[in-house]
Amino acid sequence: MRTMIARGAVAALAATALTGSLAGSASAGTAHTEKSASAQTVHTGKTVHLKKTVHSQKAKPTTKSIRLDAGCNFINNGRKTAGQACFKKSGDRVWIRDTARDGMRIEVRGSVNSNGTPGYRCYGNYKGGWQICNFDRKMAEGHVFLWYVNKWKGNKLKGTSGEKMMMTS
């Protein structure tokens, strides 16, 4: 079982490296094709435009709390935690919480290694308290969700956490 999960995680990481991150427009080549977020060039000289799907949701406030565990990720603001995010595979939900009163907002971005490699974005507001995004009907079942936490001030990226890999349900 661990071997299957590790292989799935490596495949998701490799697919993400090949197709580029949600925030960037990195491209990678294979023996026969070169891919980017907007076009695919086959070595016959033809360009085929691809549309990268990104499911974006504004997080909804909730009065519920979540237990911090291995499915959670954190982003710091110097010496203290600026935000928390958790992915719960039961229902494919992303929980986010802004923990610093610094005028920045917290956002989760990630992708699932499935057909078309769809991206996911869950963004909150500047207020504290847990907020939630529900991707239950949008995420492919039984795939690896590779995600990370960003903090933004206006339209400027101010920091990114390390990546987490979790299985979807």
PDB file of all heavy atoms in Angstrom, residues 56-80:
ATOM      1  N   SER A  56     -11.736  27.629  -9.166  1.00  0.00           N
ATOM      2  CA  SER A  56     -11.448  28.666  -8.176  1.00  0.00           C
ATOM      3  C   SER A  56     -12.694  28.944  -7.348  1.00  0.00           C
ATOM      4  O   SER A  56     -13.781  29.108  -7.901  1.00  0.00           O
ATOM      5  CB  SER A  56     -11.010  29.938  -8.918  1.00  0.00           C
ATOM      6  OG  SER A  56     -10.589  30.902  -8.007  1.00  0.00           O
ATOM      7  N   GLN A  57     -12.521  28.976  -6.021  1.00  0.00           N
ATOM      8  CA  GLN A  57     -13.647  29.249  -5.124  1.00  0.00           C
ATOM      9  C   GLN A  57     -13.235  30.233  -4.045  1.00  0.00           C
ATOM     10  O   GLN A  57     -12.121  30.148  -3.520  1.00  0.00           O
ATOM     11  CB  GLN A  57     -14.103  27.978  -4.402  1.00  0.00           C
ATOM     12  CG  GLN A  57     -14.884  27.019  -5.214  1.00  0.00           C
ATOM     13  CD  GLN A  57     -15.401  25.871  -4.345  1.00  0.00           C
ATOM     14  OE1 GLN A  57     -15.529  25.975  -3.129  1.00  0.00           O
ATOM     15  NE2 GLN A  57     -15.698  24.754  -4.979  1.00  0.00           N
ATOM     16  N   LYS A  58     -14.156  31.134  -3.723  1.00  0.00           N
ATOM     17  CA  LYS A  58     -13.962  31.975  -2.550  1.00  0.00           C
ATOM     18  C   LYS A  58     -14.443  31.164  -1.352  1.00  0.00           C
ATOM     19  O   LYS A  58     -15.544  30.622  -1.362  1.00  0.00           O
ATOM     20  CB  LYS A  58     -14.753  33.274  -2.662  1.00  0.00           C
ATOM     21  CG  LYS A  58     -14.523  34.171  -1.480  1.00  0.00           C
ATOM     22  CD  LYS A  58     -15.150  35.522  -1.643  1.00  0.00           C
ATOM     23  CE  LYS A  58     -14.783  36.364  -0.428  1.00  0.00           C
ATOM     24  NZ  LYS A  58     -15.303  37.713  -0.553  1.00  0.00           N
ATOM     25  N   ALA A  59     -13.604  31.072  -0.340  1.00  0.00           N
ATOM     26  CA  ALA A  59     -13.936  30.276   0.843  1.00  0.00           C
ATOM     27  C   ALA A  59     -15.110  30.893   1.586  1.00  0.00           C
ATOM     28  O   ALA A  59     -15.230  32.111   1.680  1.00  0.00           O
ATOM     29  CB  ALA A  59     -12.724  30.179   1.758  1.00  0.00           C
ATOM     30  N   LYS A  60     -15.956  30.013   2.111  1.00  0.00           N
ATOM     31  CA  LYS A  60     -17.119  30.464   2.874  1.00  0.00           C
ATOM     32  C   LYS A  60     -16.811  30.329   4.364  1.00  0.00           C
ATOM     33  O   LYS A  60     -16.276  29.309   4.804  1.00  0.00           O
ATOM     34  CB  LYS A  60     -18.333  29.623   2.514  1.00  0.00           C
ATOM     35  CG  LYS A  60     -18.747  29.811   1.079  1.00  0.00           C
ATOM     36  CD  LYS A  60     -19.924  28.947   0.725  1.00  0.00           C
ATOM     37  CE  LYS A  60     -20.257  29.170  -0.736  1.00  0.00           C
ATOM     38  NZ  LYS A  60     -21.252  28.242  -1.219  1.00  0.00           N
ATOM     39  N   PRO A  61     -17.157  31.358   5.151  1.00  0.00           N
ATOM     40  CA  PRO A  61     -16.923  31.275   6.595  1.00  0.00           C
ATOM     41  C   PRO A  61     -17.710  30.121   7.210  1.00  0.00           C
ATOM     42  O   PRO A  61     -18.794  29.773   6.739  1.00  0.00           O
ATOM     43  CB  PRO A  61     -17.443  32.613   7.126  1.00  0.00           C
ATOM     44  CG  PRO A  61     -17.507  33.509   5.942  1.00  0.00           C
ATOM     45  CD  PRO A  61     -17.740  32.633   4.755  1.00  0.00           C
ATOM     46  N   THR A  62     -17.137  29.531   8.247  1.00  0.00           N
ATOM     47  CA  THR A  62     -17.806  28.455   8.960  1.00  0.00           C
ATOM     48  C   THR A  62     -17.588  28.644  10.456  1.00  0.00           C
ATOM     49  O   THR A  62     -16.570  29.199  10.878  1.00  0.00           O
ATOM     50  CB  THR A  62     -17.301  27.072   8.502  1.00  0.00           C
ATOM     51  OG1 THR A  62     -18.007  26.061   9.217  1.00  0.00           O
ATOM     52  CG2 THR A  62     -15.817  26.905   8.738  1.00  0.00           C
ATOM     53  N   THR A  63     -18.530  28.187  11.245  1.00  0.00           N
ATOM     54  CA  THR A  63     -18.382  28.246  12.703  1.00  0.00           C
ATOM     55  C   THR A  63     -17.705  26.988  13.225  1.00  0.00           C
ATOM     56  O   THR A  63     -17.338  26.919  14.385  1.00  0.00           O
ATOM     57  CB  THR A  63     -19.761  28.403  13.379  1.00  0.00           C
ATOM     58  OG1 THR A  63     -20.605  27.318  12.967  1.00  0.00           O
ATOM     59  CG2 THR A  63     -20.392  29.726  13.002  1.00  0.00           C
ATOM     60  N   LYS A  64     -17.520  26.001  12.347  1.00  0.00           N
ATOM     61  CA  LYS A  64     -16.856  24.753  12.735  1.00  0.00           C
ATOM     62  C   LYS A  64     -15.350  24.961  12.797  1.00  0.00           C
ATOM     63  O   LYS A  64     -14.800  25.820  12.133  1.00  0.00           O
ATOM     64  CB  LYS A  64     -17.166  23.648  11.732  1.00  0.00           C
ATOM     65  CG  LYS A  64     -18.623  23.278  11.676  1.00  0.00           C
ATOM     66  CD  LYS A  64     -18.843  22.195  10.660  1.00  0.00           C
ATOM     67  CE  LYS A  64     -20.325  21.844  10.578  1.00  0.00           C
ATOM     68  NZ  LYS A  64     -20.580  20.830   9.560  1.00  0.00           N
ATOM     69  N   SER A  65     -14.722  24.142  13.619  1.00  0.00           N
ATOM     70  CA  SER A  65     -13.260  24.121  13.714  1.00  0.00           C
ATOM     71  C   SER A  65     -12.763  22.804  13.153  1.00  0.00           C
ATOM     72  O   SER A  65     -13.519  21.849  13.024  1.00  0.00           O
ATOM     73  CB  SER A  65     -12.803  24.253  15.161  1.00  0.00           C
ATOM     74  OG  SER A  65     -12.942  25.569  15.597  1.00  0.00           O
ATOM     75  N   ILE A  66     -11.492  22.765  12.875  1.00  0.00           N
ATOM     76  CA  ILE A  66     -10.886  21.551  12.351  1.00  0.00           C
ATOM     77  C   ILE A  66      -9.677  21.203  13.206  1.00  0.00           C
ATOM     78  O   ILE A  66      -8.994  22.092  13.708  1.00  0.00           O
ATOM     79  CB  ILE A  66     -10.509  21.754  10.869  1.00  0.00           C
ATOM     80  CG1 ILE A  66     -10.149  20.433  10.242  1.00  0.00           C
ATOM     81  CG2 ILE A  66      -9.417  22.755  10.712  1.00  0.00           C
ATOM     82  CD1 ILE A  66     -10.106  20.490   8.736  1.00  0.00           C
ATOM     83  N   ARG A  67      -9.451  19.920  13.384  1.00  0.00           N
ATOM     84  CA  ARG A  67      -8.283  19.474  14.144  1.00  0.00           C
ATOM     85  C   ARG A  67      -7.055  19.543  13.255  1.00  0.00           C
ATOM     86  O   ARG A  67      -7.043  19.036  12.139  1.00  0.00           O
ATOM     87  CB  ARG A  67      -8.510  18.050  14.627  1.00  0.00           C
ATOM     88  CG  ARG A  67      -7.482  17.621  15.669  1.00  0.00           C
ATOM     89  CD  ARG A  67      -7.679  16.205  16.086  1.00  0.00           C
ATOM     90  NE  ARG A  67      -7.024  15.404  15.050  1.00  0.00           N
ATOM     91  CZ  ARG A  67      -7.399  14.187  14.698  1.00  0.00           C
ATOM     92  NH1 ARG A  67      -8.411  13.621  15.266  1.00  0.00           N
ATOM     93  NH2 ARG A  67      -6.756  13.530  13.760  1.00  0.00           N
ATOM     94  N   LEU A  68      -6.017  20.206  13.722  1.00  0.00           N
ATOM     95  CA  LEU A  68      -4.769  20.297  12.968  1.00  0.00           C
ATOM     96  C   LEU A  68      -4.067  18.943  13.027  1.00  0.00           C
ATOM     97  O   LEU A  68      -3.873  18.380  14.100  1.00  0.00           O
ATOM     98  CB  LEU A  68      -3.875  21.390  13.539  1.00  0.00           C
ATOM     99  CG  LEU A  68      -4.465  22.806  13.515  1.00  0.00           C
ATOM    100  CD1 LEU A  68      -3.514  23.783  14.167  1.00  0.00           C
ATOM    101  CD2 LEU A  68      -4.788  23.242  12.102  1.00  0.00           C
ATOM    102  N   ASP A  69      -3.708  18.422  11.842  1.00  0.00           N
ATOM    103  CA  ASP A  69      -3.048  17.126  11.772  1.00  0.00           C
ATOM    104  C   ASP A  69      -2.091  17.102  10.578  1.00  0.00           C
ATOM    105  O   ASP A  69      -1.734  18.158  10.055  1.00  0.00           O
ATOM    106  CB  ASP A  69      -4.084  15.992  11.692  1.00  0.00           C
ATOM    107  CG  ASP A  69      -5.015  16.116  10.491  1.00  0.00           C
ATOM    108  OD1 ASP A  69      -4.696  16.864   9.541  1.00  0.00           O
ATOM    109  OD2 ASP A  69      -6.069  15.464  10.493  1.00  0.00           O
ATOM    110  N   ALA A  70      -1.695  15.929  10.130  1.00  0.00           N
ATOM    111  CA  ALA A  70      -0.735  15.809   9.026  1.00  0.00           C
ATOM    112  C   ALA A  70      -1.297  16.331   7.707  1.00  0.00           C
ATOM    113  O   ALA A  70      -0.545  16.586   6.773  1.00  0.00           O
ATOM    114  CB  ALA A  70      -0.317  14.350   8.866  1.00  0.00           C
ATOM    115  N   GLY A  71      -2.597  16.503   7.606  1.00  0.00           N
ATOM    116  CA  GLY A  71      -3.217  17.041   6.397  1.00  0.00           C
ATOM    117  C   GLY A  71      -3.253  18.557   6.382  1.00  0.00           C
ATOM    118  O   GLY A  71      -3.939  19.147   5.554  1.00  0.00           O
ATOM    119  N   CYS A  72      -2.514  19.191   7.282  1.00  0.00           N
ATOM    120  CA  CYS A  72      -2.510  20.654   7.369  1.00  0.00           C
ATOM    121  C   CYS A  72      -1.148  21.213   6.962  1.00  0.00           C
ATOM    122  O   CYS A  72      -0.137  20.540   7.059  1.00  0.00           O
ATOM    123  CB  CYS A  72      -2.856  21.103   8.785  1.00  0.00           C
ATOM    124  SG  CYS A  72      -4.524  20.609   9.289  1.00  0.00           S
ATOM    125  N   ASN A  73      -1.165  22.452   6.545  1.00  0.00           N
ATOM    126  CA  ASN A  73       0.043  23.135   6.108  1.00  0.00           C
ATOM    127  C   ASN A  73       0.003  24.553   6.673  1.00  0.00           C
ATOM    128  O   ASN A  73      -1.079  25.089   6.919  1.00  0.00           O
ATOM    129  CB  ASN A  73       0.086  23.176   4.574  1.00  0.00           C
ATOM    130  CG  ASN A  73       1.478  23.287   4.020  1.00  0.00           C
ATOM    131  OD1 ASN A  73       2.429  23.569   4.732  1.00  0.00           O
ATOM    132  ND2 ASN A  73       1.603  23.076   2.731  1.00  0.00           N
ATOM    133  N   PHE A  74       1.152  25.162   6.855  1.00  0.00           N
ATOM    134  CA  PHE A  74       1.240  26.477   7.496  1.00  0.00           C
ATOM    135  C   PHE A  74       2.128  27.402   6.685  1.00  0.00           C
ATOM    136  O   PHE A  74       3.041  26.956   6.008  1.00  0.00           O
ATOM    137  CB  PHE A  74       1.833  26.331   8.904  1.00  0.00           C
ATOM    138  CG  PHE A  74       1.090  25.337   9.749  1.00  0.00           C
ATOM    139  CD1 PHE A  74       1.476  24.011   9.779  1.00  0.00           C
ATOM    140  CD2 PHE A  74      -0.007  25.722  10.493  1.00  0.00           C
ATOM    141  CE1 PHE A  74       0.788  23.082  10.537  1.00  0.00           C
ATOM    142  CE2 PHE A  74      -0.710  24.807  11.264  1.00  0.00           C
ATOM    143  CZ  PHE A  74      -0.314  23.483  11.278  1.00  0.00           C
ATOM    144  N   ILE A  75       1.862  28.684   6.797  1.00  0.00           N
ATOM    145  CA  ILE A  75       2.720  29.691   6.191  1.00  0.00           C
ATOM    146  C   ILE A  75       3.060  30.702   7.265  1.00  0.00           C
ATOM    147  O   ILE A  75       2.200  31.086   8.063  1.00  0.00           O
ATOM    148  CB  ILE A  75       2.085  30.338   4.944  1.00  0.00           C
ATOM    149  CG1 ILE A  75       3.118  31.193   4.223  1.00  0.00           C
ATOM    150  CG2 ILE A  75       0.828  31.108   5.282  1.00  0.00           C
ATOM    151  CD1 ILE A  75       2.769  31.487   2.799  1.00  0.00           C
ATOM    152  N   ASN A  76       4.332  31.094   7.313  1.00  0.00           N
ATOM    153  CA  ASN A  76       4.801  31.996   8.363  1.00  0.00           C
ATOM    154  C   ASN A  76       4.935  33.422   7.867  1.00  0.00           C
ATOM    155  O   ASN A  76       5.077  33.674   6.677  1.00  0.00           O
ATOM    156  CB  ASN A  76       6.145  31.521   8.916  1.00  0.00           C
ATOM    157  CG  ASN A  76       6.018  30.216   9.658  1.00  0.00           C
ATOM    158  OD1 ASN A  76       5.033  29.997  10.351  1.00  0.00           O
ATOM    159  ND2 ASN A  76       6.977  29.335   9.490  1.00  0.00           N
ATOM    160  N   ASN A  77       4.911  34.321   8.824  1.00  0.00           N
ATOM    161  CA  ASN A  77       5.104  35.746   8.572  1.00  0.00           C
ATOM    162  C   ASN A  77       6.239  36.184   9.495  1.00  0.00           C
ATOM    163  O   ASN A  77       6.001  36.776  10.530  1.00  0.00           O
ATOM    164  CB  ASN A  77       3.809  36.513   8.868  1.00  0.00           C
ATOM    165  CG  ASN A  77       3.910  37.960   8.492  1.00  0.00           C
ATOM    166  OD1 ASN A  77       4.877  38.396   7.890  1.00  0.00           O
ATOM    167  ND2 ASN A  77       2.889  38.718   8.863  1.00  0.00           N
ATOM    168  N   GLY A  78       7.445  35.843   9.109  1.00  0.00           N
ATOM    169  CA  GLY A  78       8.576  36.118   9.993  1.00  0.00           C
ATOM    170  C   GLY A  78       8.658  35.058  11.068  1.00  0.00           C
ATOM    171  O   GLY A  78       8.898  33.899  10.791  1.00  0.00           O
ATOM    172  N   ARG A  79       8.389  35.452  12.316  1.00  0.00           N
ATOM    173  CA  ARG A  79       8.532  34.528  13.435  1.00  0.00           C
ATOM    174  C   ARG A  79       7.250  33.831  13.836  1.00  0.00           C
ATOM    175  O   ARG A  79       7.264  32.930  14.659  1.00  0.00           O
ATOM    176  CB  ARG A  79       9.069  35.275  14.646  1.00  0.00           C
ATOM    177  CG  ARG A  79      10.485  35.760  14.433  1.00  0.00           C
ATOM    178  CD  ARG A  79      10.898  36.589  15.591  1.00  0.00           C
ATOM    179  NE  ARG A  79      10.162  37.857  15.496  1.00  0.00           N
ATOM    180  CZ  ARG A  79      10.577  39.000  15.948  1.00  0.00           C
ATOM    181  NH1 ARG A  79      11.714  39.070  16.579  1.00  0.00           N
ATOM    182  NH2 ARG A  79       9.871  40.094  15.790  1.00  0.00           N
ATOM    183  N   LYS A  80       6.094  34.245  13.289  1.00  0.00           N
ATOM    184  CA  LYS A  80       4.838  33.627  13.709  1.00  0.00           C
ATOM    185  C   LYS A  80       4.052  33.115  12.510  1.00  0.00           C
ATOM    186  O   LYS A  80       4.338  33.465  11.365  1.00  0.00           O
ATOM    187  CB  LYS A  80       3.999  34.607  14.517  1.00  0.00           C
ATOM    188  CG  LYS A  80       3.631  35.866  13.790  1.00  0.00           C
ATOM    189  CD  LYS A  80       2.869  36.809  14.696  1.00  0.00           C
ATOM    190  CE  LYS A  80       2.527  38.084  13.926  1.00  0.00           C
ATOM    191  NZ  LYS A  80       1.747  38.984  14.718  1.00  0.00           N
TER     192      LYS A  80
END
